[in-house]
Amino acid sequence: MTISKAEAERRARERWPMWRLLLSDMNITYSDLDRMDFDDIMEANAALDIHIKQQQKDQQKK
């Protein structure tokens, strides 16, 4: 049986730190994430936030 749309959304929100990395342009695969613990995933998200802020600063300089 497949899960409902509401359940799928609940799970996606619960696992957002993982999905965010998968959907980013960081080239992290599901297999990569499977080998990471939650601390690694949170650190990678922090690094992504830093990267995004740096890109925004670079854009403002142009």
Side-chain angles (χ1 to χ4, degrees), residues 1-12 15 19:
M1 184 167 112
T2 58
I3 61 174
S4 68
K5 184 176 179 179
E7 177 62 11
E9 183 173 337
R10 185 195 68 75
R11 289 183 189 188
R15 297 177 179 117
W19 287 112

Side-chain angles (χ1 to χ4, degrees), residues 1-47:
M1 184 167 112
T2 58
I3 61 174
S4 68
K5 184 176 179 179
E7 177 62 11
E9 183 173 337
R10 185 195 68 75
R11 289 183 189 188
R13 288 184 185 280
E14 181 179 289
R15 297 177 179 117
W16 178 244
M18 181 185 78
W19 287 112
R20 181 176 186 247
L21 295 174
L22 277 173
L23 297 171
S24 73
D25 60 356
M26 293 178 64
N27 293 322
I28 291 180
T29 66
Y30 193 88
S31 295
D32 295 333
L33 290 171
D34 193 42
R35 291 189 299 268
M36 296 167 79
D37 65 19
F38 193 70
D39 289 343
D40 293 333
I41 290 170
M42 295 310 292
E43 183 178 342
N45 271 282

